[in-house]
Amino acid sequence: MVVHEPGPWFEEVLDGLADQDYGSLKLLFLLAGEPGDLPERIRARVPDAFVRAVDGNPGYGATANEVLSLVEGESGFFCFLHDDVALEPAAVRLLVEELYRSNAGIVGPKLSDWDDPGVLQHVGLAVDRFGAIDSMVESGEVDQEQHDAVRDVFALPSACLLVRADLFRLLEGFDPAIEFYGDDVDLCWRAHLGGARVVVVPAARARHREKLPERRPDLRHDRLRARHRVRSVATLTGARRLLLVSLQLVVLTLAELVAGVFTGTLRQAWASLVALLGAIPRTPTILARRREIAPLRQVPNSEVAGLQLRGSARLSSYLRARDSRPLDPDASTERRWRQTAGSVPSIAWLCVLIAVVIGSRQLITGGVPEVGEFLRFPSSPSDMLADYRSGWWGHGLGATVAAPTGVALAAVGSVTSLFHMGLWHTVAILGLLVVGYAGMWRLASLFPTPRARVTALVVYAALPLPSELLSVGRWGALACYAAMPWVVHLLRRAAGIETIGSTSSDPADRDTVERYAVVAPRKRLRLLAQLALLTAVVAAFAPSFLLLLGATGVVLAVTTLLARGSWRAGVTMAVSAFVVGIVALVANLPWSESLFGRAGWDLVAGVPPVTSRSLGVVRLARFGVGNGEFGILAIALMVPVVSALLVARSWRLTWAIRAAGLVVAFGWLAILDDGRIGRIGGIRMPEPGVLLAPVAVGVALSAACIAAAFQDDVLSGSFGWRQPLGVLSACAIVVGILPGVIAVGNGRWNMPRLTLTTVLGQLPSDPVEGDYRVLWIGDPQVLPVAAWTYHPGIGYALTDDGPLTMYETWAGRPTAVEREVAQALDAIGTQSTLRAGRLLAPFGVRYIVVPLADGAIGTTTDPVPPPVGLIDALDDQLDLATPLTRPLNYVVYENMAWTPVRSQLTPAGAAASQQAGDEALASADLSGSTPFGVGARDRGPATGPVQPGVVHVAVPVDQRWTLEVDGRQAESHPAFGSTIGFDVPTAGAATLRYDTSLARPLFVILQLFVWVALVLAASRFDPSSIRRRRKRPVDEHIEPVLQLTEPILVPGDGGVPWQSEDGGAS
Amino acid sequence: MNRRRLVAAVVLVTGLVSMIVVGRAPSANAVPVFTTLGKPTMPFVPTGNFITSSWFCPGVPVGGEGVGGSVIVANPADAPLSGQITVFTDAPDGAPVTQSFEVDPRDTRTIDLLELQQAGTFVSALVEMQGGGGFVEQRAVFPAGNAVAPCANSTSSEWYFADGFTLDGSTEQLVITNPFPDEAILNFEFATNQGSRQPSRLQGFPVKGNSVAVITQASLPRDEAVLAVKIVASRGRVVVGRAQQYLGGGRLGYTLSLGAPSLSDQYFFADGEVGDGIIERYSIYNGSDREVAVQAVFLGVPLADDFANDTEIVVAPGQVGTLVTADVPGLPAGRHGVVFSTLDERAIVVERAITRPAGSSVVTTVVLGAPAALAGPRWSMAVGSELAVENILVVLNVDGVDATVTVKALGPGGEVAVPGMESIALPAGGVTAIGISDRAALGRPLVVESTSRIYVERLLPRDASLRGRSGSFALAG
């Protein structure tokens, strides 16, 4: 037994040893640390024990390894014990007997709680391939002999294990590098490598305190646990598996890190990451250890791996722990639900996930096509972050404005795919489906019956909305679909609206409107922070979500009052939504500032339609915003919305009212926006896909209400109109989900194979003749980029050459110079000039593209008609050439008067650049310019040789752009009245760069601070724990207090020839 | 049903039902309008603010003895007008030539195209001016007589000619200008008395960018008294003029005129005349794919019992109908205007060929009718008469009210009324011919203003040494 400063329990431990009925038992106490009166205390209970002090406190394993030198011979057993283990009298005997019987190498007892022996602690340990332990018993699990079979396990706790002496010597004891935590797993793993069995013997029992953190607060337990786990994996995993396991470990650790933010396990996750990174410099040590272990490998690694847990033990144990965690008022219902739900939820989830995989199979294998807002991510996350930090946002003509927060979020999010941007693109789109399902599952936790929860999940998953949104590439709306259930769920919890048990089991609840709990301020803060975090993330990509959030809060508040619920809860939900929206706006500053002011609403609602969207109530009711099929059947899902109001009782009626409220309120908004009424009233809403997300939540909740009511209110009542209505509703639900089921068969959610962006590859990228821009104009429905409003129903946008990326999904507000492009379009439209190509030349516009078919909204067989007169007006322009073969997807014009984005102007061009105004531009011929800095990034730097003259940069006038020629700065001046010209006096090597303002990094740091604060507030992180740790004297117990001394002789000794330090017998 | 349920159900179900009622009939999904340009039409003087204004001159012959031509730019404004002219040629590998020019205030500038481009058989011009306000015409010089034609305001993907004539050695040439950088692809269709035909060699006919292409008589039907041409660009836009030299078959003379850039449903003519030795023939080309009935109503003729004035011509699709005024029963002798109308929108093109005695010979001139939209109180001409002769201008009043007409000349003092022509009476629906004799007005751009909507045709002497006139419409506006 290794003893270190034991507490008052130690006497019970000694009594347990003294009472052992195994006749050949010899006791050796290894005292680590200050012995104090320990020898006397030991002597008082077990007078024949050997007691020996160990120098310092090298850790359990290293101390225990002393037996290798203190004990001679191999024909016995070592039973290693912690000093907080109280054995039952027969424990050692039973262990020895079973070891003989099973021919095992290591055996261990069943460990129970010290204070409550009826509660299990460990019955062996399961270990996964990452070295993580799953204790195999639930926290607080009562011993009902359910684990009393002798069985092989992968490891046994070092608190008590019996090892064959020869095996222990062969293994050279515990790994001396492991001080605490993991020594047992490491030993047992090596035993397995040598072919020895590890067996748990439940008949042998012991009580174990297991409170090392209390006894050793100086240790960094999480770090030690993680470090030793990584060491064991690195040293013991077979060479063939090591690479794969290492990669899996990296992925798992990163996922754990992300999950840790939201589950309160961030500290453990961080420890894992530190351990992983810390293993890198320890590579030589690890390799040396692998060489030491190599002779032990008698069993194929596959066999050893077969003994380990599949998957992640940490994930399994977390899920198990979470399920049984008594967190809030929901918990009792939740636990009861889990106990009674059986396998139905698992099967439902499995079906839904399989449906997602089957429905997305072509997208998973081939990637998501770039249609609508599904533009590819830039190839480098670091470049994305650099773009974000730069202060120069290159969208359109570029400007010194904040880059969208979504750029940084997308870059950071790529960590989940190990920076594989293609995979991240697919995950970021298809993953939204699962996020939405999970949100609905959480929201449906308010229902105590599995039938209702499964109904909510299945209906929400089978609604045509997500597949319709996918088919036309509406990422923002899809994000709203994914986030909306979470919004309702978090608002509910923040308002303290409780889950109530089934009325069948609780008749008192029959007339209850609903129940409310007092939400602790800290918990409410956490919930709202989670909602704010969610909102901030979604709004970074879909600003319209802010509107959705506010409106949802109001609708839930109003319907709560309508249902005669608590006004306090209603107000809480409305105010919470408002406050959360503001916080999300703040988190997205300074980019979110662009949502206000002139054209700001366009970023929320998009380019306004000509008169109305004119989808009609039928299409809206069937969520027909895309290219789905058989969607008409989904209208049947409106039946439960009404019938739930009539059938449901008690709190289910309250939720039926809320659900119908969501459907009616957001349905009305969609209808108003869809028809001319909206135009008359000046109401312009976000796209219908966004508005239909809360409707989808309402429909799914209504279906769940029906399912819950069917059991509690319909079947339990006498026969009447409720029964047939309930049956009708159930049939309607079945019919309504058919379109969603059918959509799975397509394999790509009806997304196009050939999109506009794929054929745009015909336009040259970074051509030698210079970088250029593309002017997009046309119906915003088929524009592959976010557009500024030119006229109702007509959008325009500017993009750089090369492939379109997600950067183009944020239109931003057009700058004054970008509005000059619209003025050039005006000139084309009014035919006030036929030389509009020259007007566009200073902006680097080489191509004008009018999209007709993006593959989703418009196809080559059924293209979207271009705006009336646009093609005619462009055809009239004398500077615009059209290729001999026109693609079917779009009409493209090449501006023959273009000049590169960065170019050295001809003398005539230089003279013209001094002029401003349309007439001067229309008569200026800029042809013959020499390109400069071809292929440079928007934010620079661009380098190249220049000649005396004028270097023109087609970006708005900005003093932060500088041009250095051979180290000397060239003077800049406005060119053509709006862009930048640099006067180059002499030839030389030039560098064009953008100087980021000092304010920008400060803004970024401030923003980072806000996000970290939000993350911490949303997590279970408790700041007081830092304060507590800071106050703790760290060096209280860690000073080594003893040197190795002479054995403390015990009277009556003489049974075993224990070795003294001088090698003689004592 | 408890009260809670009742209230909520009523409110929410009402909301649902009203939503269905309101949204059940979606309004039509309108196509956005970028601009409303309308169909290209015969040239006019545009008004409004322009960054640059462009004129496309159909072309003049070059490369022969006594042939050539010029472009005349008139600047009625009080400020100088600057611009550039680009001259295209049909010579192989002939590059366009560009030159800047400036026109003094209230003045004209004549640019000799031969000085800029001699190569080829025809040259045409693109005139671009900074701002608007000016107007441009061209004068083709030919031994058989000069021909003045307005320059087009815009290019078009369709061009039509109703009156072709290749009898007895008469020749016709189509002069096609492509002022754009890309190649244009054209398809030709001819209509003759034998029906319509689409020669395969003139299908998918390419016209290089920034160049002129000429379809010579060798590619056109010979010995046709009726020859209409329809040119449709499957790609690109062009400007098409037609040069005709009449050598027999009752016609003599030379014309070079701009085609019709679109079909219309109504055409007005001011300069009709019935008289001895005068042959007036209207060719009505039905460019649509359906039969049309065209009503011809003569204007400026006295009411008479024996003249019904309700002539109707039925024209088959792709065919040409003709109306010879001599065959119209009861049509009084003398000048008259005429309007051709059909109920089918954008279906027809009407041209008038009128052959008048000129000394001992005859001279034929062909004019495309003016569409209804151009009727207005003001008409301009960059090219006036160099000679003091009668009947230079023929004015048709298309309104039902009596009007007065003023003829002005553009000179250093601006637009000044020609003495004696300040208030010429013009009866409702009447026609009048006006001569210019004031020396100050000769060779000057002219402007005709009226108190009513009018059409103005111009009959310029073919040449100082030749008898007879060359007719053309003035520019509306």
Side-chain angles (χ1 to χ4, degrees), chain A residues 495-527:
Chain A
I497 299 172
E498 269 195 62
T499 299
I500 300 179
S502 167
T503 55
S504 59
S505 61
D506 191 358
D509 289 333
R510 190 171 288 275
D511 297 322
T512 306
V513 172
E514 62 189 358
R515 283 184 184 166
Y516 304 95
V518 175
V519 183
R522 165 67 190 155
K523 180 183 174 185
R524 178 169 287 152
L525 176 67
R526 179 165 55 82
L527 292 169

mmCIF file of all heavy atoms in Angstrom, chain A residues 495-527:
data_model
loop_
_atom_site.group_PDB
_atom_site.id
_atom_site.type_symbol
_atom_site.label_atom_id
_atom_site.label_comp_id
_atom_site.label_asym_id
_atom_site.label_seq_id
_atom_site.Cartn_x
_atom_site.Cartn_y
_atom_site.Cartn_z
ATOM 1 N N ALA A 495 -37.600 31.985 -20.156
ATOM 2 C CA ALA A 495 -38.832 32.478 -19.536
ATOM 3 C C ALA A 495 -39.298 31.569 -18.409
ATOM 4 O O ALA A 495 -40.289 31.864 -17.741
ATOM 5 C CB ALA A 495 -39.930 32.595 -20.590
ATOM 6 N N GLY A 496 -38.613 30.475 -18.216
ATOM 7 C CA GLY A 496 -38.952 29.570 -17.117
ATOM 8 C C GLY A 496 -40.172 28.719 -17.376
ATOM 9 O O GLY A 496 -40.788 28.223 -16.429
ATOM 10 N N ILE A 497 -40.533 28.534 -18.627
ATOM 11 C CA ILE A 497 -41.691 27.692 -18.933
ATOM 12 C C ILE A 497 -41.269 26.241 -18.803
ATOM 13 O O ILE A 497 -40.378 25.771 -19.503
ATOM 14 C CB ILE A 497 -42.211 27.978 -20.354
ATOM 15 C CG1 ILE A 497 -42.655 29.435 -20.442
ATOM 16 C CG2 ILE A 497 -43.359 27.046 -20.697
ATOM 17 C CD1 ILE A 497 -43.017 29.878 -21.839
ATOM 18 N N GLU A 498 -41.931 25.563 -17.880
ATOM 19 C CA GLU A 498 -41.515 24.213 -17.537
ATOM 20 C C GLU A 498 -42.149 23.170 -18.424
ATOM 21 O O GLU A 498 -43.214 23.383 -18.997
ATOM 22 C CB GLU A 498 -41.943 23.900 -16.099
ATOM 23 C CG GLU A 498 -40.934 24.238 -15.047
ATOM 24 C CD GLU A 498 -41.307 23.558 -13.752
ATOM 25 O OE1 GLU A 498 -41.346 22.313 -13.731
ATOM 26 O OE2 GLU A 498 -41.572 24.268 -12.778
ATOM 27 N N THR A 499 -41.469 22.058 -18.460
ATOM 28 C CA THR A 499 -42.079 20.870 -19.037
ATOM 29 C C THR A 499 -42.961 20.235 -17.983
ATOM 30 O O THR A 499 -42.629 20.218 -16.809
ATOM 31 C CB THR A 499 -40.984 19.881 -19.434
ATOM 32 O OG1 THR A 499 -40.166 20.508 -20.388
ATOM 33 C CG2 THR A 499 -41.575 18.620 -19.992
ATOM 34 N N ILE A 500 -44.107 19.771 -18.440
ATOM 35 C CA ILE A 500 -45.027 19.132 -17.499
ATOM 36 C C ILE A 500 -45.208 17.689 -17.918
ATOM 37 O O ILE A 500 -45.223 17.360 -19.104
ATOM 38 C CB ILE A 500 -46.387 19.849 -17.505
ATOM 39 C CG1 ILE A 500 -46.181 21.307 -17.105
ATOM 40 C CG2 ILE A 500 -47.362 19.150 -16.586
ATOM 41 C CD1 ILE A 500 -47.455 22.110 -17.091
ATOM 42 N N GLY A 501 -45.391 16.869 -16.916
ATOM 43 C CA GLY A 501 -45.549 15.460 -17.221
ATOM 44 C C GLY A 501 -46.861 15.174 -17.912
ATOM 45 O O GLY A 501 -47.760 16.007 -17.998
ATOM 46 N N SER A 502 -46.955 13.951 -18.397
ATOM 47 C CA SER A 502 -48.161 13.539 -19.104
ATOM 48 C C SER A 502 -49.358 13.554 -18.159
ATOM 49 O O SER A 502 -49.263 13.180 -17.002
ATOM 50 C CB SER A 502 -47.941 12.142 -19.674
ATOM 51 O OG SER A 502 -49.167 11.623 -20.094
ATOM 52 N N THR A 503 -50.479 14.021 -18.650
ATOM 53 C CA THR A 503 -51.654 14.090 -17.785
ATOM 54 C C THR A 503 -52.145 12.710 -17.379
ATOM 55 O O THR A 503 -52.780 12.556 -16.349
ATOM 56 C CB THR A 503 -52.803 14.806 -18.500
ATOM 57 O OG1 THR A 503 -53.036 14.152 -19.731
ATOM 58 C CG2 THR A 503 -52.471 16.248 -18.731
ATOM 59 N N SER A 504 -51.828 11.767 -18.221
ATOM 60 C CA SER A 504 -52.275 10.434 -17.867
ATOM 61 C C SER A 504 -51.646 9.971 -16.568
ATOM 62 O O SER A 504 -52.226 9.200 -15.828
ATOM 63 C CB SER A 504 -51.954 9.453 -18.988
ATOM 64 O OG SER A 504 -50.566 9.452 -19.213
ATOM 65 N N SER A 505 -50.460 10.468 -16.315
ATOM 66 C CA SER A 505 -49.805 10.069 -15.083
ATOM 67 C C SER A 505 -49.979 11.123 -13.995
ATOM 68 O O SER A 505 -49.629 10.896 -12.860
ATOM 69 C CB SER A 505 -48.323 9.822 -15.346
ATOM 70 O OG SER A 505 -47.746 11.020 -15.809
ATOM 71 N N ASP A 506 -50.459 12.257 -14.371
ATOM 72 C CA ASP A 506 -50.545 13.344 -13.408
ATOM 73 C C ASP A 506 -51.864 14.089 -13.632
ATOM 74 O O ASP A 506 -51.909 15.134 -14.274
ATOM 75 C CB ASP A 506 -49.351 14.280 -13.611
ATOM 76 C CG ASP A 506 -49.248 15.277 -12.474
ATOM 77 O OD1 ASP A 506 -50.133 15.237 -11.577
ATOM 78 O OD2 ASP A 506 -48.303 16.082 -12.469
ATOM 79 N N PRO A 507 -52.952 13.571 -13.098
ATOM 80 C CA PRO A 507 -54.265 14.165 -13.367
ATOM 81 C C PRO A 507 -54.362 15.618 -12.917
ATOM 82 O O PRO A 507 -55.165 16.378 -13.440
ATOM 83 C CB PRO A 507 -55.219 13.278 -12.572
ATOM 84 C CG PRO A 507 -54.469 12.016 -12.341
ATOM 85 C CD PRO A 507 -53.039 12.376 -12.264
ATOM 86 N N ALA A 508 -53.552 16.002 -11.991
ATOM 87 C CA ALA A 508 -53.628 17.382 -11.501
ATOM 88 C C ALA A 508 -53.262 18.385 -12.576
ATOM 89 O O ALA A 508 -53.626 19.554 -12.498
ATOM 90 C CB ALA A 508 -52.694 17.541 -10.308
ATOM 91 N N ASP A 509 -52.559 17.907 -13.590
ATOM 92 C CA ASP A 509 -52.108 18.808 -14.643
ATOM 93 C C ASP A 509 -53.159 19.021 -15.732
ATOM 94 O O ASP A 509 -52.933 19.747 -16.683
ATOM 95 C CB ASP A 509 -50.832 18.253 -15.288
ATOM 96 C CG ASP A 509 -49.669 18.376 -14.343
ATOM 97 O OD1 ASP A 509 -49.708 19.294 -13.495
ATOM 98 O OD2 ASP A 509 -48.740 17.566 -14.458
ATOM 99 N N ARG A 510 -54.292 18.378 -15.580
ATOM 100 C CA ARG A 510 -55.263 18.370 -16.671
ATOM 101 C C ARG A 510 -55.708 19.773 -17.076
ATOM 102 O O ARG A 510 -55.940 20.053 -18.240
ATOM 103 C CB ARG A 510 -56.459 17.499 -16.286
ATOM 104 C CG ARG A 510 -57.409 17.224 -17.419
ATOM 105 C CD ARG A 510 -58.414 16.180 -17.002
ATOM 106 N NE ARG A 510 -57.817 14.850 -16.898
ATOM 107 C CZ ARG A 510 -57.661 14.023 -17.930
ATOM 108 N NH1 ARG A 510 -58.028 14.397 -19.132
ATOM 109 N NH2 ARG A 510 -57.135 12.847 -17.758
ATOM 110 N N ASP A 511 -55.844 20.674 -16.115
ATOM 111 C CA ASP A 511 -56.330 22.018 -16.420
ATOM 112 C C ASP A 511 -55.237 23.071 -16.290
ATOM 113 O O ASP A 511 -55.528 24.259 -16.191
ATOM 114 C CB ASP A 511 -57.490 22.364 -15.485
ATOM 115 C CG ASP A 511 -58.664 21.424 -15.698
ATOM 116 O OD1 ASP A 511 -58.917 21.075 -16.866
ATOM 117 O OD2 ASP A 511 -59.288 21.033 -14.703
ATOM 118 N N THR A 512 -54.025 22.645 -16.298
ATOM 119 C CA THR A 512 -52.928 23.588 -16.117
ATOM 120 C C THR A 512 -52.599 24.277 -17.435
ATOM 121 O O THR A 512 -52.411 23.610 -18.453
ATOM 122 C CB THR A 512 -51.674 22.850 -15.606
ATOM 123 O OG1 THR A 512 -52.042 22.118 -14.442
ATOM 124 C CG2 THR A 512 -50.573 23.832 -15.280
ATOM 125 N N VAL A 513 -52.557 25.600 -17.394
ATOM 126 C CA VAL A 513 -52.144 26.343 -18.596
ATOM 127 C C VAL A 513 -50.697 26.023 -18.907
ATOM 128 O O VAL A 513 -50.347 25.625 -20.002
ATOM 129 C CB VAL A 513 -52.334 27.853 -18.384
ATOM 130 C CG1 VAL A 513 -51.734 28.639 -19.537
ATOM 131 C CG2 VAL A 513 -53.814 28.168 -18.243
ATOM 132 N N GLU A 514 -49.871 26.185 -17.951
ATOM 133 C CA GLU A 514 -48.504 25.669 -17.958
ATOM 134 C C GLU A 514 -47.858 26.047 -16.649
ATOM 135 O O GLU A 514 -48.421 26.801 -15.854
ATOM 136 C CB GLU A 514 -47.689 26.174 -19.151
ATOM 137 C CG GLU A 514 -47.472 27.641 -19.248
ATOM 138 C CD GLU A 514 -46.845 28.008 -20.588
ATOM 139 O OE1 GLU A 514 -46.556 27.112 -21.397
ATOM 140 O OE2 GLU A 514 -46.658 29.204 -20.819
ATOM 141 N N ARG A 515 -46.679 25.535 -16.418
ATOM 142 C CA ARG A 515 -46.001 25.818 -15.165
ATOM 143 C C ARG A 515 -44.752 26.634 -15.435
ATOM 144 O O ARG A 515 -44.140 26.528 -16.493
ATOM 145 C CB ARG A 515 -45.611 24.512 -14.468
ATOM 146 C CG ARG A 515 -46.763 23.832 -13.783
ATOM 147 C CD ARG A 515 -46.241 22.615 -13.046
ATOM 148 N NE ARG A 515 -47.332 21.863 -12.454
ATOM 149 C CZ ARG A 515 -47.189 20.640 -11.989
ATOM 150 N NH1 ARG A 515 -46.007 20.058 -12.043
ATOM 151 N NH2 ARG A 515 -48.208 20.010 -11.451
ATOM 152 N N TYR A 516 -44.412 27.384 -14.432
ATOM 153 C CA TYR A 516 -43.244 28.246 -14.573
ATOM 154 C C TYR A 516 -42.304 28.005 -13.410
ATOM 155 O O TYR A 516 -42.730 27.740 -12.295
ATOM 156 C CB TYR A 516 -43.656 29.722 -14.604
ATOM 157 C CG TYR A 516 -44.651 30.004 -15.694
ATOM 158 C CD1 TYR A 516 -46.019 30.008 -15.429
ATOM 159 C CD2 TYR A 516 -44.225 30.219 -17.001
ATOM 160 C CE1 TYR A 516 -46.939 30.232 -16.436
ATOM 161 C CE2 TYR A 516 -45.149 30.443 -18.014
ATOM 162 C CZ TYR A 516 -46.509 30.447 -17.726
ATOM 163 O OH TYR A 516 -47.407 30.652 -18.721
ATOM 164 N N ALA A 517 -41.044 28.103 -13.733
ATOM 165 C CA ALA A 517 -40.020 27.949 -12.701
ATOM 166 C C ALA A 517 -39.284 29.265 -12.540
ATOM 167 O O ALA A 517 -39.217 30.070 -13.479
ATOM 168 C CB ALA A 517 -39.033 26.849 -13.092
ATOM 169 N N VAL A 518 -38.751 29.436 -11.373
ATOM 170 C CA VAL A 518 -37.913 30.615 -11.158
ATOM 171 C C VAL A 518 -36.542 30.292 -11.751
ATOM 172 O O VAL A 518 -35.906 29.313 -11.369
ATOM 173 C CB VAL A 518 -37.795 30.941 -9.662
ATOM 174 C CG1 VAL A 518 -36.833 32.096 -9.460
ATOM 175 C CG2 VAL A 518 -39.171 31.246 -9.095
ATOM 176 N N VAL A 519 -36.163 31.090 -12.719
ATOM 177 C CA VAL A 519 -34.883 30.841 -13.385
ATOM 178 C C VAL A 519 -33.815 31.665 -12.684
ATOM 179 O O VAL A 519 -33.956 32.887 -12.548
ATOM 180 C CB VAL A 519 -34.956 31.234 -14.876
ATOM 181 C CG1 VAL A 519 -33.652 30.913 -15.576
ATOM 182 C CG2 VAL A 519 -36.116 30.515 -15.543
ATOM 183 N N ALA A 520 -32.797 30.984 -12.244
ATOM 184 C CA ALA A 520 -31.708 31.686 -11.561
ATOM 185 C C ALA A 520 -31.060 32.680 -12.525
ATOM 186 O O ALA A 520 -30.938 32.385 -13.716
ATOM 187 C CB ALA A 520 -30.676 30.679 -11.064
ATOM 188 N N PRO A 521 -30.682 33.837 -12.023
ATOM 189 C CA PRO A 521 -30.081 34.844 -12.917
ATOM 190 C C PRO A 521 -28.904 34.303 -13.718
ATOM 191 O O PRO A 521 -28.763 34.581 -14.901
ATOM 192 C CB PRO A 521 -29.637 35.948 -11.961
ATOM 193 C CG PRO A 521 -30.524 35.794 -10.772
ATOM 194 C CD PRO A 521 -30.808 34.333 -10.661
ATOM 195 N N ARG A 522 -28.067 33.523 -13.043
ATOM 196 C CA ARG A 522 -26.886 32.984 -13.729
ATOM 197 C C ARG A 522 -27.312 32.057 -14.870
ATOM 198 O O ARG A 522 -26.753 32.102 -15.958
ATOM 199 C CB ARG A 522 -26.017 32.229 -12.715
ATOM 200 C CG ARG A 522 -24.979 31.326 -13.300
ATOM 201 C CD ARG A 522 -23.902 32.076 -14.032
ATOM 202 N NE ARG A 522 -23.052 31.168 -14.771
ATOM 203 C CZ ARG A 522 -22.356 31.505 -15.836
ATOM 204 N NH1 ARG A 522 -22.406 32.736 -16.294
ATOM 205 N NH2 ARG A 522 -21.596 30.623 -16.454
ATOM 206 N N LYS A 523 -28.345 31.270 -14.612
ATOM 207 C CA LYS A 523 -28.819 30.348 -15.646
ATOM 208 C C LYS A 523 -29.475 31.114 -16.794
ATOM 209 O O LYS A 523 -29.258 30.810 -17.967
ATOM 210 C CB LYS A 523 -29.810 29.369 -15.039
ATOM 211 C CG LYS A 523 -30.341 28.370 -16.043
ATOM 212 C CD LYS A 523 -31.372 27.471 -15.425
ATOM 213 C CE LYS A 523 -31.981 26.576 -16.505
ATOM 214 N NZ LYS A 523 -33.069 25.763 -15.967
ATOM 215 N N ARG A 524 -30.259 32.126 -16.418
ATOM 216 C CA ARG A 524 -30.902 32.922 -17.480
ATOM 217 C C ARG A 524 -29.848 33.616 -18.329
ATOM 218 O O ARG A 524 -29.959 33.670 -19.555
ATOM 219 C CB ARG A 524 -31.842 33.944 -16.862
ATOM 220 C CG ARG A 524 -32.500 34.847 -17.894
ATOM 221 C CD ARG A 524 -33.609 35.665 -17.298
ATOM 222 N NE ARG A 524 -34.783 34.840 -17.019
ATOM 223 C CZ ARG A 524 -35.666 35.098 -16.057
ATOM 224 N NH1 ARG A 524 -35.502 36.145 -15.284
ATOM 225 N NH2 ARG A 524 -36.709 34.314 -15.873
ATOM 226 N N LEU A 525 -28.834 34.105 -17.663
ATOM 227 C CA LEU A 525 -27.752 34.757 -18.406
ATOM 228 C C LEU A 525 -27.120 33.768 -19.380
ATOM 229 O O LEU A 525 -26.831 34.090 -20.536
ATOM 230 C CB LEU A 525 -26.699 35.295 -17.437
ATOM 231 C CG LEU A 525 -25.472 35.914 -18.076
ATOM 232 C CD1 LEU A 525 -25.856 37.188 -18.813
ATOM 233 C CD2 LEU A 525 -24.404 36.217 -17.041
ATOM 234 N N ARG A 526 -26.918 32.563 -18.892
ATOM 235 C CA ARG A 526 -26.291 31.552 -19.755
ATOM 236 C C ARG A 526 -27.177 31.229 -20.957
ATOM 237 O O ARG A 526 -26.717 31.159 -22.098
ATOM 238 C CB ARG A 526 -26.015 30.282 -18.947
ATOM 239 C CG ARG A 526 -25.385 29.154 -19.738
ATOM 240 C CD ARG A 526 -24.807 28.098 -18.834
ATOM 241 N NE ARG A 526 -25.794 27.584 -17.894
ATOM 242 C CZ ARG A 526 -26.685 26.645 -18.172
ATOM 243 N NH1 ARG A 526 -26.730 26.135 -19.371
ATOM 244 N NH2 ARG A 526 -27.529 26.227 -17.254
ATOM 245 N N LEU A 527 -28.466 31.067 -20.685
ATOM 246 C CA LEU A 527 -29.387 30.742 -21.780
ATOM 247 C C LEU A 527 -29.447 31.870 -22.807
ATOM 248 O O LEU A 527 -29.416 31.635 -24.018
ATOM 249 C CB LEU A 527 -30.784 30.476 -21.213
ATOM 250 C CG LEU A 527 -30.924 29.209 -20.371
ATOM 251 C CD1 LEU A 527 -32.261 29.196 -19.652
ATOM 252 C CD2 LEU A 527 -30.784 27.973 -21.251
#
